[in-house]
């Protein structure tokens, strides 16, 4: 058995309050997943993530494959043990990072040849190899190897990209099903094992998205992701793709939108029926001094905070807002002190996790209605 998805309540707008039972953790959904690229959510220690209430974090297959290497991580008991993270994890397939290396890659039907951004060494990733690496890393959820279609892409280009992604999805799934019991922690988790999600692509073309979703559903993955978003398309296009795809996905399986978004976006998508989301925005913005607060975005480097003794967000209950002032965070940011990035990241993650916690609370009530959900003041 891999995962068990138990829906507790569905709102009129389609938002789902559910529990996702994974080998390392039962997750309350909808859930926001902090991104831990290279075995760390940048600048934030694992015990802090736990105290913030992070239930599941991402690991990055491409980065961990290059350094320290997936075989080394397997020998050390898998990624959970290596980074000392007892809760759930998800690894991406490496497809998105390879996509980002536009100048360094060559794609064929067989797979992708790319050069390491670290030392220029040459590597070849196939769907089978991506799955092998993800089994070695041992996250609770693996992702099928896909090609992330760039934006803008004309219809022919999006169609060709989709053809490749669908063929890779089939190969990823077949290889995963043949090997899914090999994960290093299987015996320690009572015989439970990893799951694999398929990724819907198709650019901004509704018919291609539909075709992609239908073909993946036929293949019968454990869950489904909508990929190829947050690649520069306008926000209305993101929303359009999500609205098109969600009704085509099985109601009884988890739905994951990859790489989104700002706080109001993740709340909006969760209310539409998206169960899982991940994004680098809270931590990346934090390192640049941008804080998300109940009163909107705050550039903590701004001169007006020089002697401001209020916490970053007076309504936030996080450990940063409970202890430090805007003036101190501004000083740290301007002085380039690493603690500034850490404290800003902790607050932003607390804010994102809090947004999702409030959406879960709204969705808990069986009488929840669309109008009530839309007037709830969780937007920054
Ligand atoms: Zn805070």
């Amino acid at each position: 058995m891999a995962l068990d998805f138990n829906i507790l309540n569905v709102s009129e707008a389609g938002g789902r309050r559910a529990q996702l039972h994974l080998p390392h953790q039962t997750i309350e959904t909808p859930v926001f997943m902090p991104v831990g690229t290279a075995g760390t959510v940048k600048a934030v220690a694992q015990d802090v993530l736990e105290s913030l209430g992070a239930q599941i974090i991402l690991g990055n297959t491409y980065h961990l494959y290059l350094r320290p290497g997936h075989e080394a991580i397997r020998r050390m008991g898998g990624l959970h043990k290596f980074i000392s993270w007892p809760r759930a994890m998800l690894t991406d397939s490496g497809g998105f990072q390879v996509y980002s290396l536009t100048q360094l890659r060559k794609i064929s039907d067989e797979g992708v040849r790319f050069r390491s951004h670290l030392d220029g060494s040459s590597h070849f990733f196939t769907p089978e190899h991506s799955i092998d690496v993800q089994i070695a890393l041992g996250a609770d959820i693996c992702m099928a190897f896909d090609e992330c279609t760039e934006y803008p892409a004309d219809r022919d280009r999006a169609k060709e990209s989709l053809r490749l992604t669908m063929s890779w999805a089939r190969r990823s799934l077949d290889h995963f099903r043949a090997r899914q019991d090999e994960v290093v922690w299987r015996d320690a988790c009572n015989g439970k094992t990893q799951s694999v999600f398929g990724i819907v692509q198709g650019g901004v073309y509704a018919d291609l998205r539909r075709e992609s979703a239908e073909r993946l559903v036929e293949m019968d993955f454990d869950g489904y992701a909508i990929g190829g978003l947050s690649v520069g398309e306008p926000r209305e296009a993101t929303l359009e793709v999500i609205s098109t795809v969600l009704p085509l996905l099985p109601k009884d399986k988890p739905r994951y939108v990859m790489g989104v978004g700002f706080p109001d976006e993740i709340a909006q998508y969760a209310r539409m029926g998206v169960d899982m989301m991940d994004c680098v925005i809270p931590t990346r913005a934090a390192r640049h001094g941008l804080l998300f607060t109940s009163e909107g975005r705050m550039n903590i480097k701004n001169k007006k905070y020089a002697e401001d003794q209020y916490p970053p967000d007076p309504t936030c209950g996080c450990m940063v807002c409970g202890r430090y002032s805007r003036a101190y965070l501004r000083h740290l940011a301007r002085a380039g002190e690493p603690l500034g990035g850490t404290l800003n990241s902790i607050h932003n993650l607390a804010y994102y996790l809090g947004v999702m916690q409030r959406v879960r609370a709204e969705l808990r009530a069986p009488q929840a209605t669309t109008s009530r959900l839309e007037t709830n003041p969780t937007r920054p």
Side-chain angles (χ1 to χ4, degrees):
M1 196 197 81
L3 63 76
D4 196 16
F5 189 58
N6 180 19
I7 297 176
L8 306 172
N9 186 43
V10 182
S11 74
E12 278 178 30
R16 297 125 65 91
R17 174 73 184 88
Q19 289 181 324
L20 175 59
H21 302 276
L22 295 171
H24 287 83
Q25 172 93 2
T26 291
I27 292 168
E28 306 294 332
T29 67
V31 67
F32 177 75
M33 308 185 285
V35 178
T37 306
T40 156
V41 174
K42 274 193 202 308
V44 183
Q46 280 74 314
D47 60 320
V48 177
L49 290 170
E50 277 184 58
S51 66
L52 289 173
Q55 310 177 71
I56 174 169
I57 62 173
L58 258 68
N60 196 284
T61 292
Y62 167 82
H63 288 280
L64 295 166
Y65 157 81
L66 289 177
R67 186 172 59 191
H70 59 294
E71 290 298 349
I73 290 175
R74 190 209 309 265
R75 286 193 295 274
M76 287 182 279
L79 193 53
H80 288 89
K81 199 165 173 204
F82 177 54
I83 75 164
S84 187
W85 176 253
R87 299 183 180 174
M89 297 191 85
L90 179 150
T91 44
D92 66 2
S93 67
F96 185 79
Q97 274 65 37
V98 171
Y99 150 87
S100 311
L101 303 169
T102 322
Q103 305 302 318
L104 302 172
R105 64 175 161 85
K106 190 173 183 321
I107 299 174
S108 64
D109 276 14
E110 182 57 21
V112 184
R113 175 150 314 272
F114 62 92
R115 287 196 179 281
S116 159
H117 73 288
L118 296 174
D119 60 8
S121 56
S122 178
H123 302 264
F124 192 57
F125 248 49
T126 63
E128 291 80 8
H129 188 46
S130 167
I131 293 295
D132 284 340
V133 173
Q134 293 184 76
I135 289 172
L137 297 175
D140 298 79
I141 298 172
C142 302
M143 300 303 298
F145 193 59
D146 65 328
E147 189 194 32
C148 181
T149 312
E150 70 280 4
Y151 180 87
D154 66 30
R155 203 175 178 288
D156 286 347
R157 161 66 195 137
K159 196 172 177 180
E160 173 56 21
S161 172
L162 178 61
R163 183 192 65 78
L164 200 57
T165 287
M166 290 300 100
S167 138
W168 288 356
R170 179 80 258 168
R171 285 166 56 191
S172 297
L173 182 63
D174 290 348
H175 194 70
F176 180 83
R177 291 286 178 239
R179 298 203 48 204
Q180 69 184 65
D181 289 332
E182 293 178 19
V183 70
V184 67
W185 42 254
R186 186 172 179 269
D187 289 343
C189 286
N190 300 320
K192 290 180 187 169
T193 189
Q194 298 175 281
S195 305
V196 66
F197 285 17
I199 304 175
V200 176
Q201 290 284 356
V204 292
Y205 303 96
D207 60 324
L208 298 182
R209 287 283 179 177
R210 195 169 299 122
E211 179 190 339
S212 178
E214 286 167 357
R215 288 174 62 186
L216 288 174
V217 171
E218 264 173 43
M219 292 181 207
D220 196 19
F221 281 87
D222 299 316
Y224 297 89
I226 305 176
L229 298 177
S230 291
V231 289
E233 80 281 4
R235 184 167 168 172
E236 309 81 68
T238 314
L239 189 60
E240 180 83 32
V241 167
I242 295 173
S243 311
T244 302
V245 175
L246 280 183
L248 303 169
L249 300 177
K251 288 191 167 31
D252 60 345
K253 292 191 176 175
R255 307 153 168 182
Y256 164 28
V257 174
M258 307 177 78
V260 294
F262 287 105
D264 58 329
E265 292 175 288
I266 63 169
Q268 181 181 16
Y269 304 151
R271 291 177 181 126
M272 291 166 60
V274 174
D275 307 303
M276 308 161 68
M277 283 167 276
D278 76 283
C279 196
V280 295
I281 288 176
T283 43
R284 183 175 289 165
R287 296 196 298 279
H288 291 99
L290 181 67
L291 300 180
F292 296 97
T293 77
S294 55
E295 287 163 7
R297 296 177 201 176
M298 170 186 281
N299 183 347
I300 200 66
K301 291 181 182 170
N302 199 306
K303 192 169 188 300
K304 68 180 174 188
Y305 302 122
E307 296 189 19
D308 189 331
Q309 301 196 39
Y310 279 100
D313 184 348
T315 69
C316 175
C318 89
M319 58 188 82
V320 175
C321 292
R323 182 157 187 163
Y324 302 105
S325 67
R326 294 170 181 170
Y328 181 56
L329 294 183
R330 174 178 186 267
H331 161 71
L332 292 177
R334 287 177 52 85
E337 286 291 338
L339 182 61
T342 294
L343 297 181
N344 294 345
S345 296
I346 291 171
H347 165 77
N348 277 354
L349 286 172
Y351 189 80
Y352 266 66
L353 294 165
V355 165
M356 214 44 95
Q357 199 171 25
R358 288 193 291 277
V359 175
R360 285 199 299 273
E362 293 168 17
L363 294 173
R364 189 172 296 133
Q367 71 274 20
T369 64
T370 310
S371 57
R372 264 190 55 214
L373 293 174
E374 283 176 351
T375 54
N376 193 293
T378 57
R379 296 182 178 208

